[in-house]
Amino acid sequence: MSKNKTVDDFFRSFSVVIISGASSGIGRAILSRIGNSGTSASVFNLSRTPPEGVPNSLKFTHLTCDLSQPAALSSVVSELQKLMPREGKMLLINNSGFGAYGEFPAPALDHTLKMIDVNVRAPVELTGRLWEELKARGGMVATVASLAGFQPTPLMTTYAATKSFMLDWSVALDAEAKRHGIRCVAICPGPVSTNFSKAAGFASSTGLSGQTAEECADEAIWGMAKHRPVVITGWRHKILGFVSARLPKPWAAAIGLRVIQRLKLDRFVKKA
Ligand SMILES: NC(=O)c1ccc[n+]([C@@H]2O[C@H](COP(=O)([O-])OP(=O)(O)OC[C@H]3O[C@@H](n4cnc5c(N)ncnc54)[C@H](OP(=O)(O)O)[C@@H]3O)[C@@H](O)[C@H]2O)c1
């Protein structure tokens, strides 16, 4: 069977797809692939701004939601529960997230706490609020973690730790939830050329853009279709992830600090 057909069949096997952060970057590229699959699923996006150019052929609804706000998340889940079909398998893609660069707590403690809310609390809460339904219907929870989740990362301390949390959480949940007919996939991209670096406080590209959003999305989706618990996108990133996960954590942190300092990322940081 061709790769395209496997992916089309994968998306066609769900009656509901819920994705966060499809307004930009990796999430937008995943949404495009869903749009090309010919699925009849009802597709919902949660983010602060709507994605542009969604094809009319898709049964698509954008629900505006700032995932850093627990009240907004809880009301968007009530809306979802009213709008989504009651039967058939469900695919939840926890993708929204952002990073920050600099010595802790740069750029500001409030910003750091908001990052924990969007990167960790929101996906755990969204999954938790849909869990009984997922258990009853079966399906998949795919979570966009990061290559940064494989080791403690100085100068991106909190961001990398949010992604370590999501990586371990997703892998453990997969082991626990298989018997309920739910598979969980942790997607771990290395650097990808998106709005991520702008949101992380850089004024211009850092030159670390290893993959395009489309390349990353294609690998992520293939891993989802194949039910791989962990998908590291990009072959160089696979090697990096394999090595760094095996280093003692203090060594990985010390090496990480040296590598990041050598990249001289400070020169790209947006001036306040
Ligand atoms: N690009 C990379 O190098 C890279 C590497 C590893 C992992 N990742 C992860 O990949 C995921 C997608 O990032 P990306 O690279 O595609 O970056 P992006 O282009 O900046 O997209 C981020 C998405 O997250 C959404 N988002 C951010 N804050 C939100 C909030 N408060 N409430 C709701 N949605 C919010 C944004 O939507 P709105 O602004 O419309 O709300 C946007 O759709 C993130 O989890 C990121 O950590 C990225």
PDB file of all heavy atoms in Angstrom, residues 96-120:
ATOM      1  N   SER A  96      -0.430  23.102  20.112  1.00  0.00           N
ATOM      2  CA  SER A  96      -0.121  24.493  20.507  1.00  0.00           C
ATOM      3  C   SER A  96       1.033  24.520  21.488  1.00  0.00           C
ATOM      4  O   SER A  96       1.123  23.667  22.383  1.00  0.00           O
ATOM      5  CB  SER A  96      -1.333  25.136  21.212  1.00  0.00           C
ATOM      6  OG  SER A  96      -2.251  25.602  20.284  1.00  0.00           O
ATOM      7  N   GLY A  97       1.895  25.510  21.342  1.00  0.00           N
ATOM      8  CA  GLY A  97       2.991  25.647  22.300  1.00  0.00           C
ATOM      9  C   GLY A  97       3.920  26.747  21.868  1.00  0.00           C
ATOM     10  O   GLY A  97       3.876  27.214  20.727  1.00  0.00           O
ATOM     11  N   PHE A  98       4.750  27.190  22.782  1.00  0.00           N
ATOM     12  CA  PHE A  98       5.773  28.174  22.422  1.00  0.00           C
ATOM     13  C   PHE A  98       6.965  28.037  23.353  1.00  0.00           C
ATOM     14  O   PHE A  98       6.894  27.390  24.390  1.00  0.00           O
ATOM     15  CB  PHE A  98       5.209  29.604  22.434  1.00  0.00           C
ATOM     16  CG  PHE A  98       4.775  30.114  23.788  1.00  0.00           C
ATOM     17  CD1 PHE A  98       5.649  30.853  24.583  1.00  0.00           C
ATOM     18  CD2 PHE A  98       3.509  29.859  24.269  1.00  0.00           C
ATOM     19  CE1 PHE A  98       5.257  31.345  25.818  1.00  0.00           C
ATOM     20  CE2 PHE A  98       3.094  30.333  25.509  1.00  0.00           C
ATOM     21  CZ  PHE A  98       3.974  31.071  26.283  1.00  0.00           C
ATOM     22  N   GLY A  99       8.078  28.630  22.926  1.00  0.00           N
ATOM     23  CA  GLY A  99       9.317  28.518  23.691  1.00  0.00           C
ATOM     24  C   GLY A  99       9.809  29.884  24.125  1.00  0.00           C
ATOM     25  O   GLY A  99       9.192  30.920  23.843  1.00  0.00           O
ATOM     26  N   ALA A 100      10.909  29.884  24.843  1.00  0.00           N
ATOM     27  CA  ALA A 100      11.562  31.136  25.246  1.00  0.00           C
ATOM     28  C   ALA A 100      13.037  30.846  25.418  1.00  0.00           C
ATOM     29  O   ALA A 100      13.409  29.734  25.802  1.00  0.00           O
ATOM     30  CB  ALA A 100      10.969  31.663  26.544  1.00  0.00           C
ATOM     31  N   TYR A 101      13.860  31.853  25.116  1.00  0.00           N
ATOM     32  CA  TYR A 101      15.310  31.684  25.201  1.00  0.00           C
ATOM     33  C   TYR A 101      15.876  32.676  26.211  1.00  0.00           C
ATOM     34  O   TYR A 101      15.408  33.809  26.306  1.00  0.00           O
ATOM     35  CB  TYR A 101      15.930  31.932  23.820  1.00  0.00           C
ATOM     36  CG  TYR A 101      17.428  32.052  23.856  1.00  0.00           C
ATOM     37  CD1 TYR A 101      18.235  30.910  23.921  1.00  0.00           C
ATOM     38  CD2 TYR A 101      18.048  33.299  23.863  1.00  0.00           C
ATOM     39  CE1 TYR A 101      19.616  31.020  23.978  1.00  0.00           C
ATOM     40  CE2 TYR A 101      19.428  33.410  23.915  1.00  0.00           C
ATOM     41  CZ  TYR A 101      20.202  32.264  23.970  1.00  0.00           C
ATOM     42  OH  TYR A 101      21.553  32.372  24.039  1.00  0.00           O
ATOM     43  N   GLY A 102      16.866  32.254  26.953  1.00  0.00           N
ATOM     44  CA  GLY A 102      17.563  33.168  27.866  1.00  0.00           C
ATOM     45  C   GLY A 102      17.702  32.578  29.249  1.00  0.00           C
ATOM     46  O   GLY A 102      17.099  31.546  29.561  1.00  0.00           O
ATOM     47  N   GLU A 103      18.517  33.262  30.089  1.00  0.00           N
ATOM     48  CA  GLU A 103      18.719  32.783  31.458  1.00  0.00           C
ATOM     49  C   GLU A 103      17.422  32.893  32.242  1.00  0.00           C
ATOM     50  O   GLU A 103      16.737  33.921  32.163  1.00  0.00           O
ATOM     51  CB  GLU A 103      19.813  33.608  32.146  1.00  0.00           C
ATOM     52  CG  GLU A 103      21.192  33.141  31.759  1.00  0.00           C
ATOM     53  CD  GLU A 103      22.292  33.824  32.557  1.00  0.00           C
ATOM     54  OE1 GLU A 103      22.057  34.235  33.711  1.00  0.00           O
ATOM     55  OE2 GLU A 103      23.385  33.952  31.992  1.00  0.00           O
ATOM     56  N   PHE A 104      17.117  31.845  33.010  1.00  0.00           N
ATOM     57  CA  PHE A 104      15.891  31.812  33.806  1.00  0.00           C
ATOM     58  C   PHE A 104      15.766  33.079  34.643  1.00  0.00           C
ATOM     59  O   PHE A 104      16.756  33.489  35.241  1.00  0.00           O
ATOM     60  CB  PHE A 104      15.896  30.572  34.717  1.00  0.00           C
ATOM     61  CG  PHE A 104      14.705  30.496  35.617  1.00  0.00           C
ATOM     62  CD1 PHE A 104      13.498  30.023  35.129  1.00  0.00           C
ATOM     63  CD2 PHE A 104      14.773  30.925  36.943  1.00  0.00           C
ATOM     64  CE1 PHE A 104      12.378  29.967  35.954  1.00  0.00           C
ATOM     65  CE2 PHE A 104      13.653  30.876  37.760  1.00  0.00           C
ATOM     66  CZ  PHE A 104      12.466  30.396  37.266  1.00  0.00           C
ATOM     67  N   PRO A 105      14.624  33.738  34.762  1.00  0.00           N
ATOM     68  CA  PRO A 105      13.337  33.394  34.159  1.00  0.00           C
ATOM     69  C   PRO A 105      13.044  34.210  32.904  1.00  0.00           C
ATOM     70  O   PRO A 105      11.883  34.510  32.644  1.00  0.00           O
ATOM     71  CB  PRO A 105      12.346  33.739  35.254  1.00  0.00           C
ATOM     72  CG  PRO A 105      12.954  34.976  35.885  1.00  0.00           C
ATOM     73  CD  PRO A 105      14.457  34.851  35.736  1.00  0.00           C
ATOM     74  N   ALA A 106      14.067  34.507  32.108  1.00  0.00           N
ATOM     75  CA  ALA A 106      13.860  35.337  30.911  1.00  0.00           C
ATOM     76  C   ALA A 106      12.819  34.714  29.979  1.00  0.00           C
ATOM     77  O   ALA A 106      12.767  33.486  29.878  1.00  0.00           O
ATOM     78  CB  ALA A 106      15.186  35.482  30.155  1.00  0.00           C
ATOM     79  N   PRO A 107      11.993  35.523  29.324  1.00  0.00           N
ATOM     80  CA  PRO A 107      12.021  36.983  29.336  1.00  0.00           C
ATOM     81  C   PRO A 107      11.338  37.583  30.572  1.00  0.00           C
ATOM     82  O   PRO A 107      11.577  38.738  30.875  1.00  0.00           O
ATOM     83  CB  PRO A 107      11.254  37.365  28.063  1.00  0.00           C
ATOM     84  CG  PRO A 107      10.301  36.246  27.857  1.00  0.00           C
ATOM     85  CD  PRO A 107      10.980  35.004  28.359  1.00  0.00           C
ATOM     86  N   ALA A 108      10.496  36.807  31.278  1.00  0.00           N
ATOM     87  CA  ALA A 108       9.827  37.287  32.490  1.00  0.00           C
ATOM     88  C   ALA A 108       9.143  36.098  33.144  1.00  0.00           C
ATOM     89  O   ALA A 108       8.749  35.150  32.459  1.00  0.00           O
ATOM     90  CB  ALA A 108       8.787  38.349  32.133  1.00  0.00           C
ATOM     91  N   LEU A 109       9.004  36.156  34.455  1.00  0.00           N
ATOM     92  CA  LEU A 109       8.401  35.014  35.147  1.00  0.00           C
ATOM     93  C   LEU A 109       6.965  34.747  34.676  1.00  0.00           C
ATOM     94  O   LEU A 109       6.572  33.592  34.482  1.00  0.00           O
ATOM     95  CB  LEU A 109       8.454  35.246  36.667  1.00  0.00           C
ATOM     96  CG  LEU A 109       8.009  34.054  37.519  1.00  0.00           C
ATOM     97  CD1 LEU A 109       8.811  32.787  37.211  1.00  0.00           C
ATOM     98  CD2 LEU A 109       8.099  34.378  38.998  1.00  0.00           C
ATOM     99  N   ASP A 110       6.194  35.813  34.461  1.00  0.00           N
ATOM    100  CA  ASP A 110       4.799  35.637  34.004  1.00  0.00           C
ATOM    101  C   ASP A 110       4.748  34.872  32.684  1.00  0.00           C
ATOM    102  O   ASP A 110       3.899  34.010  32.482  1.00  0.00           O
ATOM    103  CB  ASP A 110       4.148  37.011  33.749  1.00  0.00           C
ATOM    104  CG  ASP A 110       3.664  37.621  35.031  1.00  0.00           C
ATOM    105  OD1 ASP A 110       3.811  36.966  36.072  1.00  0.00           O
ATOM    106  OD2 ASP A 110       3.165  38.769  34.984  1.00  0.00           O
ATOM    107  N   HIS A 111       5.674  35.233  31.781  1.00  0.00           N
ATOM    108  CA  HIS A 111       5.735  34.605  30.464  1.00  0.00           C
ATOM    109  C   HIS A 111       6.073  33.110  30.625  1.00  0.00           C
ATOM    110  O   HIS A 111       5.498  32.248  29.956  1.00  0.00           O
ATOM    111  CB  HIS A 111       6.819  35.319  29.649  1.00  0.00           C
ATOM    112  CG  HIS A 111       6.860  34.958  28.210  1.00  0.00           C
ATOM    113  ND1 HIS A 111       6.057  35.554  27.265  1.00  0.00           N
ATOM    114  CD2 HIS A 111       7.619  34.059  27.536  1.00  0.00           C
ATOM    115  CE1 HIS A 111       6.308  35.039  26.083  1.00  0.00           C
ATOM    116  NE2 HIS A 111       7.262  34.126  26.222  1.00  0.00           N
ATOM    117  N   THR A 112       6.993  32.828  31.543  1.00  0.00           N
ATOM    118  CA  THR A 112       7.421  31.449  31.792  1.00  0.00           C
ATOM    119  C   THR A 112       6.251  30.614  32.333  1.00  0.00           C
ATOM    120  O   THR A 112       6.037  29.471  31.911  1.00  0.00           O
ATOM    121  CB  THR A 112       8.607  31.463  32.791  1.00  0.00           C
ATOM    122  OG1 THR A 112       9.661  32.222  32.201  1.00  0.00           O
ATOM    123  CG2 THR A 112       9.099  30.070  33.110  1.00  0.00           C
ATOM    124  N   LEU A 113       5.472  31.220  33.229  1.00  0.00           N
ATOM    125  CA  LEU A 113       4.337  30.488  33.804  1.00  0.00           C
ATOM    126  C   LEU A 113       3.255  30.252  32.747  1.00  0.00           C
ATOM    127  O   LEU A 113       2.626  29.187  32.703  1.00  0.00           O
ATOM    128  CB  LEU A 113       3.772  31.246  35.011  1.00  0.00           C
ATOM    129  CG  LEU A 113       4.756  31.392  36.180  1.00  0.00           C
ATOM    130  CD1 LEU A 113       4.161  32.243  37.291  1.00  0.00           C
ATOM    131  CD2 LEU A 113       5.168  30.024  36.740  1.00  0.00           C
ATOM    132  N   LYS A 114       3.093  31.233  31.862  1.00  0.00           N
ATOM    133  CA  LYS A 114       2.107  31.096  30.770  1.00  0.00           C
ATOM    134  C   LYS A 114       2.543  29.944  29.844  1.00  0.00           C
ATOM    135  O   LYS A 114       1.721  29.185  29.335  1.00  0.00           O
ATOM    136  CB  LYS A 114       2.042  32.416  30.011  1.00  0.00           C
ATOM    137  CG  LYS A 114       0.915  32.519  29.046  1.00  0.00           C
ATOM    138  CD  LYS A 114       0.802  33.958  28.546  1.00  0.00           C
ATOM    139  CE  LYS A 114      -0.102  34.009  27.344  1.00  0.00           C
ATOM    140  NZ  LYS A 114      -0.247  35.330  26.794  1.00  0.00           N
ATOM    141  N   MET A 115       3.863  29.845  29.653  1.00  0.00           N
ATOM    142  CA  MET A 115       4.379  28.769  28.801  1.00  0.00           C
ATOM    143  C   MET A 115       4.057  27.399  29.404  1.00  0.00           C
ATOM    144  O   MET A 115       3.676  26.460  28.700  1.00  0.00           O
ATOM    145  CB  MET A 115       5.902  28.932  28.639  1.00  0.00           C
ATOM    146  CG  MET A 115       6.529  27.905  27.751  1.00  0.00           C
ATOM    147  SD  MET A 115       8.168  28.403  27.233  1.00  0.00           S
ATOM    148  CE  MET A 115       8.999  28.545  28.762  1.00  0.00           C
ATOM    149  N   ILE A 116       4.187  27.293  30.727  1.00  0.00           N
ATOM    150  CA  ILE A 116       3.841  26.022  31.384  1.00  0.00           C
ATOM    151  C   ILE A 116       2.345  25.745  31.182  1.00  0.00           C
ATOM    152  O   ILE A 116       1.943  24.611  30.912  1.00  0.00           O
ATOM    153  CB  ILE A 116       4.216  26.056  32.890  1.00  0.00           C
ATOM    154  CG1 ILE A 116       5.729  26.214  33.057  1.00  0.00           C
ATOM    155  CG2 ILE A 116       3.728  24.796  33.598  1.00  0.00           C
ATOM    156  CD1 ILE A 116       6.189  26.434  34.498  1.00  0.00           C
ATOM    157  N   ASP A 117       1.537  26.802  31.268  1.00  0.00           N
ATOM    158  CA  ASP A 117       0.088  26.626  31.088  1.00  0.00           C
ATOM    159  C   ASP A 117      -0.244  26.118  29.680  1.00  0.00           C
ATOM    160  O   ASP A 117      -1.027  25.185  29.516  1.00  0.00           O
ATOM    161  CB  ASP A 117      -0.649  27.953  31.326  1.00  0.00           C
ATOM    162  CG  ASP A 117      -0.742  28.276  32.815  1.00  0.00           C
ATOM    163  OD1 ASP A 117      -0.624  27.347  33.634  1.00  0.00           O
ATOM    164  OD2 ASP A 117      -0.918  29.460  33.148  1.00  0.00           O
ATOM    165  N   VAL A 118       0.367  26.753  28.653  1.00  0.00           N
ATOM    166  CA  VAL A 118       0.025  26.373  27.267  1.00  0.00           C
ATOM    167  C   VAL A 118       0.659  25.027  26.903  1.00  0.00           C
ATOM    168  O   VAL A 118       0.013  24.177  26.281  1.00  0.00           O
ATOM    169  CB  VAL A 118       0.471  27.474  26.269  1.00  0.00           C
ATOM    170  CG1 VAL A 118       0.232  27.038  24.827  1.00  0.00           C
ATOM    171  CG2 VAL A 118      -0.269  28.779  26.550  1.00  0.00           C
ATOM    172  N   ASN A 119       1.916  24.831  27.299  1.00  0.00           N
ATOM    173  CA  ASN A 119       2.647  23.627  26.846  1.00  0.00           C
ATOM    174  C   ASN A 119       2.301  22.380  27.655  1.00  0.00           C
ATOM    175  O   ASN A 119       2.441  21.271  27.153  1.00  0.00           O
ATOM    176  CB  ASN A 119       4.166  23.848  26.943  1.00  0.00           C
ATOM    177  CG  ASN A 119       4.671  24.909  25.986  1.00  0.00           C
ATOM    178  OD1 ASN A 119       3.898  25.591  25.343  1.00  0.00           O
ATOM    179  ND2 ASN A 119       5.986  25.051  25.896  1.00  0.00           N
ATOM    180  N   VAL A 120       1.892  22.567  28.928  1.00  0.00           N
ATOM    181  CA  VAL A 120       1.679  21.392  29.796  1.00  0.00           C
ATOM    182  C   VAL A 120       0.240  21.319  30.314  1.00  0.00           C
ATOM    183  O   VAL A 120      -0.459  20.334  30.080  1.00  0.00           O
ATOM    184  CB  VAL A 120       2.660  21.402  31.003  1.00  0.00           C
ATOM    185  CG1 VAL A 120       2.393  20.207  31.922  1.00  0.00           C
ATOM    186  CG2 VAL A 120       4.107  21.390  30.526  1.00  0.00           C
TER     187      VAL A 120
END
